């Protein structure tokens, strides 16, 4: 063993205990011995199937090239965007991070990422230390021909001095292992090795976290052709690939089986120390069971990247539909409905086979298990309200709803003030329009809305639209109407979305289903899909900048006068034409099977033509 130190003398006992453990581990892993040339082991095979978290990128250079051409990256380079976030300042936000990286590494983020020549894996391989907030982390990056360059950078005098680096180095069976402590004796630790063109590293807060063991085990797995019960060869990973339509270019996978037991243990410990009233209010000791979290299996998001779009697939699987997971039973069998009253000029819309009465029943059942006391109080108050008003809210209101939900999103009429929220309307088919309308009127009278002057009514094409001024801010409104066997509720400062639905019901507008791009999108939707959505992504980004501007103004107004936040300002909000240069449409559909529920979406790009 050799010890090196760029700024001070390191004691030879710096990590002697860890090296002893590593020697024992290496002796038990003959696979770590140098082997003849062979095909590289897939990164997905270097961690076990039971890893709580796995993030995979199959080709980092390709991902970076795609990022440079995607709408978000090109938009962030637009002067209107940088001027919004940094008025009067030349450097935008992201280069500030580059400055910090250059200070320590002599390279910016893009240059450091360029060291990667293949795939990358980020994983939490096991739950050891997770409950204490010290998750074991493993990062593996295929460097290829850049391995020597990165090793030279990490070994350079300038890097050692800037980071106040203390390093211990040892060699086991042909693998050189490093233990670095950054910032002197009180800094954090990084165990790492560059072996056969691949970087293996594991950060840690202290020497007993097993960081070096994780690096050794990963190298051993690579030389052995994969870890025992490898994630990449597991049935769950194969199902994720199948849903994505092939090997995804990027994947994030969470295994709840490893995480939920820790959460359950923490809740049981909290329940044991909780006072009587708190323990009676919420059954913490069995909360994960009541919520069904112990039946959750996988949550994952994967991406496949094309020249003109990104395709995102996500899924939530379970072993049993219980608690929150039982909400899946509210999903009705496809195909989804295509109501003709969704207007063709809508910015976005969605349709789903979803039973809200079933949704309510599941929530009620979950509340009864998790908190019998709160459920009893709720039931008592509902029963008293029903007796007082001569109705049954659950039977007459929820029981009158059908098995579909529709949504439409509209741009407010020209000339109106910017809305406090996107102009959205939800449409719910009714099984009994008369009973639903009567019950709704009873609820409004019981709430005294007609006496407060906050509720008004007006006619639109023979239908009555009610407007409720519900917020403390001017313009916070809700709209609703019961018409043609449907309940329409709008959330915005204008009623344009509600009006567009009524106009569609009377044949005054063309239907969204006749738009050529919608027809083309529907051709790729399977027949068993229970939901479909289509959005103008540029308008969503416009809503984002509106919301960001409102929040920033509120934060500035609430900040103390001498605070830096009180002086922070934003530039002019980027116009819709600027956003439309980059963002196209987004479409997607939902499916479910016996294992879970799945979403697939495509985000289409717009290519800005080169300047003439």
């Amino acid at each position: 063993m050799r010890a090196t130190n760029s700024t001070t003398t390191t004691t030879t006992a710096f990590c002697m205990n860890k090296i002893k453990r590593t020697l024992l581990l290496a002796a038990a892993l003959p696979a770590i011995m140098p082997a003849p040339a062979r095909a590289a082991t897939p990164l997905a095979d270097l961690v076990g199937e039971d890893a709580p978290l796995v993030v995979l990128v199959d080709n980092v250079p390709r991902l970076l090239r795609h990022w440079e051409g995607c709408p978000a990256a090109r938009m962030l380079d637009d002067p209107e965007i940088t001027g919004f976030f940094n008025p009067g300042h030349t450097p935008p936000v992201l280069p500030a991070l580059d400055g910090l990286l250059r200070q320590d590494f002599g390279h910016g983020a893009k240059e450091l990422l360029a060291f990667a020549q293949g795939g990358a894996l980020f994983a939490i391989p096991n739950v050891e230390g997770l409950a204490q907030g010290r998750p074991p982390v493993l990062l593996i990056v295929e460097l290829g021909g850049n391995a020597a360059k990165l090793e030279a950078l990490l070994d350079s005098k300038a890097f050692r001095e800037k980071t106040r680096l203390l390093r211990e180095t040892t060699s086991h069976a042909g693998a050189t292992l490093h233990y670095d402590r950054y910032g002197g004796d009180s800094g954090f630790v990084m165990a790492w090795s560059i072996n056969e063109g691949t970087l293996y590293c594991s950060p840690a807060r202290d020497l007993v976290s097993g960081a070096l063991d994780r690096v050794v085990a990963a190298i051993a797995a690579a030389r052995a052709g994969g870890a025992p019960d490898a994630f990449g060869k597991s049935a769950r990973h194969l199902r994720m690939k199948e849903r994505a339509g092939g090997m995804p270019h990027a994947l994030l996978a969470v295994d709840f089986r490893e995480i939920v037991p820790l959460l359950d243990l923490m809740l049981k410990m909290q329940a044991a120390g909780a006072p009587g009233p708190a323990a009676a209010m919420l059954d913490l000791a069995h909360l994960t069971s009541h919520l069904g979290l112990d039946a959750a299996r996988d949550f994952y998001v994967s991406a496949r990247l094309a020249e003109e779009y990104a395709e995102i697939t996500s899924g939530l699987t379970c072993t049993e539909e219980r608690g929150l997971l039982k909400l899946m039973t509210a999903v009705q069998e496809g195909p989804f409905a295509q109501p003709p009253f969704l207007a063709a000029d809508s910015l976005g819309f969605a349709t789903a086979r979803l039973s809200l009465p079933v949704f309510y029943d599941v929530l009620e059942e979950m509340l009864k298990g998790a908190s019998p006391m709160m459920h009893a109080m709720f039931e008592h108050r509902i029963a008293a309200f029903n007796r007082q008003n001569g109705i049954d809210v659950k039977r007459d209101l929820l029981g009158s709803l059908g098995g579909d939900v529709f949504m439409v999103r509209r741009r407010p009429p020209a000339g109106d003030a910017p809305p406090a929220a996107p102009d959205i309307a939800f449409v719910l088919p009714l099984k009994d329009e008369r009973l639903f309308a009567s019950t709704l009127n009873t609820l409004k009278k019981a709430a005294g809305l007609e006496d407060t002057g906050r509720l008004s009514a007006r006619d639109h094409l023979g239908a009555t639209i009610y407007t409720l001024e519900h917020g403390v801010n001017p313009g916070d409104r809700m709209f609703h109407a019961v018409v043609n066997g449907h309940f329409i509720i709008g959330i915005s400062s204008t009623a344009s979305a509600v009006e567009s639905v009524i106009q569609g019901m009377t044949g005054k507008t063309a239907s969204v289903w006749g738009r050529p791009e919608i027809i083309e999108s529907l051709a790729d939707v399977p027949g068993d899909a229970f939901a479909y959505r289509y959005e103008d992504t540029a308008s969503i980004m416009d809503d984002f900048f509106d919301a960001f501007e409102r929040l920033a103004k509120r934060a500035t107004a609430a900040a103390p006068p001498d605070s830096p936040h009180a002086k922070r300002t934003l530039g002019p909000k980027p116009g819709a034409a600027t956003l439309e240069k980059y963002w196209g449409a987004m479409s997607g559909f939902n499916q479910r099977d016996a294992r879970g529920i799945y979403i697939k979406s495509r985000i289409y790009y717009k290519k800005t033509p080169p300047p003439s």
Side-chain angles (χ1 to χ4, degrees):
M1 184 182 73
R2 66 181 186 278
T4 57
N5 182 353
S6 60
T7 58
T8 186
T9 302
T10 310
T11 64
T12 57
F14 178 70
C15 62
M16 187 61 69
N17 291 336
K18 182 56 61 179
I19 291 176
K20 287 179 180 178
R21 290 179 59 195
T22 303
L23 284 167
L24 293 173
L25 177 62
L29 294 172
I32 202 171
M33 295 301 296
R38 44 150 175 70
T41 303
L43 295 183
D45 293 349
L46 300 186
V47 291
E49 178 187 3
D50 57 355
L53 173 69
V54 176
V55 180
L56 276 168
V57 176
D58 76 325
N59 188 296
V60 175
R62 176 172 56 194
L63 186 67
L64 293 176
R65 288 194 301 271
H66 186 87
W67 166 254
E68 291 176 353
C70 81
R74 293 186 295 117
M75 182 184 72
L76 289 173
D77 287 335
D78 192 293
E80 277 196 52
I81 305 299
T82 57
F84 174 74
F85 289 110
N86 300 273
H89 296 77
T90 303
V93 176
L94 293 178
L97 174 61
D98 265 16
L100 295 174
L101 291 173
R102 289 183 187 280
Q103 180 178 333
D104 284 344
F105 291 91
H107 295 277
K110 186 175 180 180
E111 294 164 322
L112 289 173
L113 289 171
F115 279 106
Q117 293 296 293
L121 175 141
F122 175 90
I124 296 178
N126 54 62
V127 297
E128 181 183 333
L130 205 59
Q132 291 76 35
R134 297 196 299 266
V137 173
L138 178 66
L139 174 65
I140 304 175
V141 183
E142 294 174 333
L143 303 174
N146 286 334
K149 296 178 183 178
L150 181 59
E151 196 156 18
L153 169 64
L154 297 177
D155 201 39
S156 66
K157 180 180 179 183
F159 175 72
R160 288 166 173 263
E161 289 179 348
K162 287 179 180 178
T163 58
R164 296 171 56 212
L165 178 67
L166 303 176
R167 174 172 294 166
E168 286 289 333
T169 300
T170 187
S171 178
H172 291 305
T176 302
L177 308 170
H178 306 279
Y179 229 159
D180 290 356
R181 186 182 285 278
Y182 295 87
D185 291 328
S186 60
F188 77 94
V189 171
M190 176 79 75
W192 65 278
S193 176
I194 295 179
N195 189 259
E196 298 182 5
T198 299
L199 169 68
Y200 303 82
C201 63
S202 181
R205 290 187 182 179
D206 49 57
L207 296 178
V208 298
S209 62
L212 199 58
D213 295 347
R214 288 190 287 275
V215 171
V216 169
I219 296 173
R223 293 182 172 179
D229 301 321
F231 170 75
K233 298 174 183 176
S234 65
R236 54 192 286 255
H237 182 238
L238 295 177
R239 286 194 294 268
M240 294 174 192
K241 288 198 299 182
E242 182 181 359
R243 281 282 174 185
M247 184 65 187
H249 299 141
L251 169 69
L252 179 151
V254 177
D255 188 347
F256 287 108
R257 295 177 310 167
E258 302 299 317
I259 298 173
V260 172
L262 285 179
L263 175 63
D264 186 57
L265 178 62
M266 294 168 62
L267 289 173
K268 280 181 166 58
M269 292 173 62
Q270 188 173 347
M281 184 63 71
L282 190 62
D283 185 9
L284 290 174
H286 304 94
L287 189 60
T288 56
S289 178
H290 295 313
L291 297 180
L293 299 181
D294 55 343
R297 181 65 170 90
D298 287 303
F299 170 74
Y300 67 92
V301 180
S302 66
R304 288 176 59 83
L305 310 173
E307 191 68 26
E308 298 179 349
Y309 61 82
E311 186 171 85
I312 312 298
T313 304
S314 59
L316 174 64
T317 66
C318 62
T319 57
E320 179 186 354
E321 291 177 341
R322 179 163 40 82
L324 288 169
L325 299 170
K326 197 173 180 179
L327 293 175
M328 294 182 190
T329 61
V331 171
Q332 309 296 292
E333 290 187 6
F336 52 83
Q338 299 184 24
F341 50 73
L342 300 179
D345 60 350
S346 301
L347 292 174
F349 69 94
T351 170
R353 298 276 294 135
L354 182 67
S355 171
L356 293 183
V358 173
F359 200 91
Y360 176 87
D361 287 341
V362 173
L363 291 178
E364 188 177 38
E365 178 185 318
M366 194 162 46
L367 177 63
K368 184 177 182 180
S371 180
M373 181 181 294
M374 290 179 64
H375 178 262
M377 293 168 57
F378 175 75
E379 287 287 292
H380 176 75
R381 292 187 179 184
I382 289 292
F385 180 85
N386 287 342
R387 286 194 302 271
Q388 184 177 354
N389 293 279
I391 60 174
D392 186 321
V393 172
K394 182 178 178 179
R395 181 196 64 202
D396 302 340
L397 196 74
L398 291 173
S400 296
L401 297 175
D404 293 282
V405 177
F406 312 118
M407 184 278 292
V408 63
R409 199 167 62 86
R410 305 269 302 171
R411 181 173 282 118
D416 281 15
D423 196 349
I424 296 173
F426 294 93
V427 186
L428 308 176
L430 299 173
K431 293 187 292 186
D432 191 330
E433 178 179 347
R434 180 176 297 181
L435 178 60
F436 182 90
S438 172
T439 307
L440 184 62
N441 286 333
T442 300
L443 291 174
K444 288 188 287 189
K445 290 178 181 178
L449 294 178
E450 296 177 349
D451 300 331
T452 63
R454 294 191 294 133
L455 185 68
S456 59
R458 63 182 176 87
D459 179 82
H460 183 74
L461 299 178
T464 302
I465 297 179
Y466 292 90
T467 303
L468 173 64
E469 305 283 349
H470 69 88
V472 294
N473 300 313
D476 285 351
R477 301 186 183 99
M478 293 180 65
F479 307 87
H480 72 270
V482 179
V483 56
N484 289 345
H486 292 80
F487 176 51
I488 312 170
I489 181 167
I491 305 171
S492 183
S493 61
T494 77
S496 65
V498 174
E499 291 171 352
S500 77
V501 174
I502 296 173
Q503 291 161 10
M505 288 177 173
T506 56
K508 300 290 185 181
T509 60
S511 175
V512 73
W513 303 106
R515 285 167 52 176
E517 64 271 30
I518 304 297
I519 295 174
E520 182 180 357
S521 170
L522 288 172
D524 295 327
V525 178
D528 64 345
F530 70 85
Y532 175 81
R533 64 202 167 279
Y534 192 91
E535 287 284 356
D536 179 322
T537 316
S539 68
I540 295 178
M541 296 305 301
D542 193 40
D543 291 338
F544 163 77
F545 282 104
D546 277 334
F548 190 94
E549 189 174 46
R550 289 195 302 271
L551 290 173
K553 288 180 178 178
R554 291 176 184 174
T556 300
D562 57 346
S563 167
H565 296 284
K567 301 175 183 178
R568 188 170 296 170
T569 60
L570 294 173
K573 189 177 82 71
T578 297
L579 301 175
E580 288 169 359
K581 289 191 300 183
Y582 306 110
W583 297 96
M586 176 177 67
S587 65
F589 59 87
N590 296 35
Q591 294 172 284
R592 68 157 299 181
D593 62 15
R595 288 193 178 92
I597 194 165
Y598 313 93
I599 304 172
K600 179 165 284 191
S601 303
R602 278 189 179 180
I603 304 173
Y604 291 89
Y605 303 162
K606 279 187 179 177
K607 300 297 182 181
T608 306
S612 56

